[in-house]
Amino acid sequence: MNNSKLPDHNAEASLLTHIPLSLYIHIPWCVRKCPYCDFNSHEKKGALPEQAYIEAMLEDLDQDLEFIQGRELQSIFIGGGTPSLFSPQAYQTLFKELRARLHFAADIEITLEANPGTVEQARFDSYRHAGINRLSIGVQSFDATQLQKLGRIHSNDDALRAIACARNAGFDNFNVDLMHGLNEQTQDDALRDLQIAIDAGAPHISWYQLTIEPNTEFFKRPPSLPVETEMHRIQSAGVDLLSESNFTRYEVSAFAKAGHQARHNLNYWQFGDYLAIGAGAHGKISQADGNIIRYQKTRKPEDYLSRAPSRTSKTEVIARADLPLEFMMNALRLQDGFSRTLFESRTGLHWQTISRPIEKFIANELLQLIGDNYSPTPRGYDMLDSVLAEFLAD
């Protein structure tokens, strides 16, 4: 591993320090592939190659250090797969090496995705000691029948125990992932899941509709989902319940109590930059020449470990004509929307590039201007696909 001193970026003043920088880390293994999952995840067979994988990720990061441009790291998100399959000791090693390469912000947010079926109290205690200060607990449902249909390896009791363990370990900042619109799910069923998470003390809830994605088991054998009108009723009732429980809906599917918004995800939605390491990880980086690039790491864990042929499988410059749509696909998910300054600083484009469709949508009451921010109206949220289509490049 590289034990060199932290690089000094002060000599290379960056034009990009106004754009926040995050790091996404992908752990591709899981105990069992869920039938709805289209993420790059692979069922664990035998012992995990923790040490070899960490070394591979650090070698990978070393190749991307040029992207930092003197910026501090504001957040880290460890996703998967099931990142909680890796030991706390593995993360202690990883963070020590990351700090040797990157400037961590003093208040950096470090999130670990955790499966309720793979954690216990001692593990949560050790994750916190390793430097992880936020958890995202993949519950999906508290209903035993739904958990079985979703292919989850945990029970309702496991989920509640995981939340209690997180709180006992000192995690006052954690998310509970829940789905709605499940197989034959009623409105009462969906609201019951939400109420359990609320009562368990979750300060952040990601509540999103089950979608059937290609290349999944559910795509081959679709479950019986609620009809669209029932989906809307469930969504409306759930939003009301969360609001009554002092949760703010700050993004389409994200609800948080005061001070508990997910900073890492906000950086995505505000078109910030993020480094990416791990098999199949995606990154986005603004460059000093004005270009914005996206890149992807090779998907198969065995290829990533062997570096064959390269850990970066794809790199592309986002065409300037595509930047308005790329920006809007993220920013319009936010309840507070975006400002003119944010658009110009994150894309490098002039406001006139999008002023005409913005004015049209305000006139049609699909967007609204509140203070300096443009955001969707409730009707605009319902018609978001139509709004976004207006920003497609000719």
Side-chain angles (χ1 to χ4, degrees):
M1 294 186 186
N2 180 3
N3 292 312
S4 60
K5 292 182 179 179
L6 191 68
D8 180 8
H9 297 287
N10 291 333
E12 46 181 81
S14 172
L15 300 174
L16 303 172
T17 52
H18 64 285
I19 302 179
L21 181 68
S22 296
L23 170 65
Y24 176 72
I25 299 170
H26 193 77
I27 309 296
W29 293 281
C30 58
V31 175
R32 184 171 65 201
K33 184 84 169 179
C34 296
Y36 58 84
C37 179
D38 69 335
F39 296 146
N40 184 38
S41 58
H42 305 261
E43 292 190 6
K44 176 176 74 76
K45 296 177 182 177
L48 292 177
E50 283 188 347
Q51 184 69 16
Y53 192 69
I54 288 172
E55 291 179 359
M57 288 195 294
L58 291 169
E59 287 179 6
D60 187 9
L61 178 61
D62 286 340
Q63 301 302 308
D64 293 344
L65 290 179
E66 63 184 284
F67 295 149
I68 296 172
Q69 296 284 341
R71 289 178 282 177
E72 282 189 334
L73 202 61
Q74 303 299 316
S75 66
I76 299 174
F77 192 99
I78 309 164
T82 304
S84 52
L85 289 175
F86 267 35
S87 68
Q89 293 73 26
Y91 288 118
Q92 282 184 326
T93 299
L94 177 60
F95 294 144
K96 176 184 175 183
E97 295 296 330
L98 290 178
R99 286 183 179 276
R101 293 161 168 81
L102 302 167
H103 290 276
F104 281 28
D107 60 347
I108 189 170
E109 175 192 272
I110 303 178
T111 302
L112 175 79
E113 282 187 342
N115 186 319
T118 64
V119 290
E120 68 281 337
Q121 184 65 60
R123 207 168 177 90
F124 273 146
D125 290 338
S126 297
Y127 284 142
R128 186 152 184 81
H129 180 71
I132 293 162
N133 54 29
R134 184 176 182 273
L135 297 172
S136 183
I137 304 173
V139 173
Q140 313 312 347
S141 177
F142 291 99
D143 182 272
T145 300
Q146 293 293 357
L147 288 172
Q148 184 177 21
K149 291 177 181 178
L150 291 170
R152 306 297 290 171
I153 65 171
H154 66 270
S155 67
N156 171 54
D157 288 343
D158 290 334
L160 291 172
R161 190 178 304 113
I163 293 172
C165 286
R167 298 183 69 184
N168 291 338
F171 286 99
D172 57 2
N173 193 12
F174 65 91
N175 168 62
V176 169
D177 260 346
L178 290 174
M179 290 183 177
H180 64 88
L182 303 179
N183 182 273
E184 299 179 346
Q185 186 184 51
T186 66
Q187 179 175 308
D188 286 345
D189 295 335
L191 296 185
R192 188 178 304 113
D193 275 347
L194 279 178
Q195 191 63 61
I196 292 172
I198 293 166
D199 292 344
H204 188 289
I205 296 175
S206 296
W207 192 56
Y208 50 95
Q209 182 178 314
L210 171 64
T211 55
I212 308 301
E213 303 288 353
N215 303 315
T216 65
E217 285 301 311
F218 275 179
F219 186 77
K220 299 173 187 175
R221 290 177 285 276
S224 175
L225 304 183
V227 297
E228 187 172 347
T229 53
E230 181 63 12
M231 294 273 205
H232 283 304
R233 281 195 290 269
I234 290 173
Q235 174 81 18
S236 179
V239 170
D240 288 345
L241 174 60
L242 287 160
S243 177
E244 292 163 5
S245 302
N246 298 317
F247 284 82
T248 297
R249 184 189 192 186
Y250 68 99
E251 187 267 343
V252 171
S253 304
F255 303 79
K257 290 195 171 179
H260 289 89
Q261 294 182 341
R263 288 167 50 202
H264 186 89
N265 290 342
L266 273 174
N267 191 37
Y268 289 157
W269 296 323
Q270 293 173 341
F271 214 53
D273 284 350
Y274 45 97
L275 300 163
I277 56 175
H282 292 251
K284 170 201 166 277
I285 293 292
S286 304
Q287 299 185 302
D289 62 5
N291 285 328
I292 300 175
I293 66 168
R294 290 196 186 281
Y295 63 94
Q296 180 180 349
K297 301 304 169 72
T298 188
R299 290 176 59 85
K300 292 183 179 179
E302 58 270 27
D303 290 343
Y304 189 84
L305 285 164
S306 66
R307 202 177 184 180
S310 169
R311 291 198 176 100
T312 299
S313 62
K314 184 179 181 181
T315 301
E316 62 178 357
V317 176
I318 303 175
R320 291 181 69 80
D322 294 332
L323 284 173
L325 178 61
E326 292 275 347
F327 178 89
M328 294 300 174
M329 285 175 63
N330 291 282
L332 288 182
R333 293 181 62 90
L334 292 170
Q335 189 79 35
D336 290 341
F338 65 95
S339 67
R340 172 175 176 166
T341 300
L342 187 74
F343 173 79
E344 292 185 336
S345 66
R346 298 294 162 86
T347 65
L349 300 174
H350 292 296
W351 181 251
Q352 286 75 13
T353 310
I354 60 167
S355 59
R356 185 171 297 176
I358 293 292
E359 291 167 3
K360 170 186 170 183
F361 289 132
I362 289 177
N364 292 337
E365 298 184 346
L366 297 177
L367 293 182
Q368 56 193 345
L369 177 61
I370 301 178
D372 293 330
N373 278 23
Y374 297 85
S375 60
T377 62
R379 183 165 164 258
Y381 259 135
D382 291 339
M383 299 178 63
L384 198 52
D385 287 345
S386 298
V387 172
L388 291 173
E390 197 73 24
F391 297 98
L392 281 168
D394 293 334

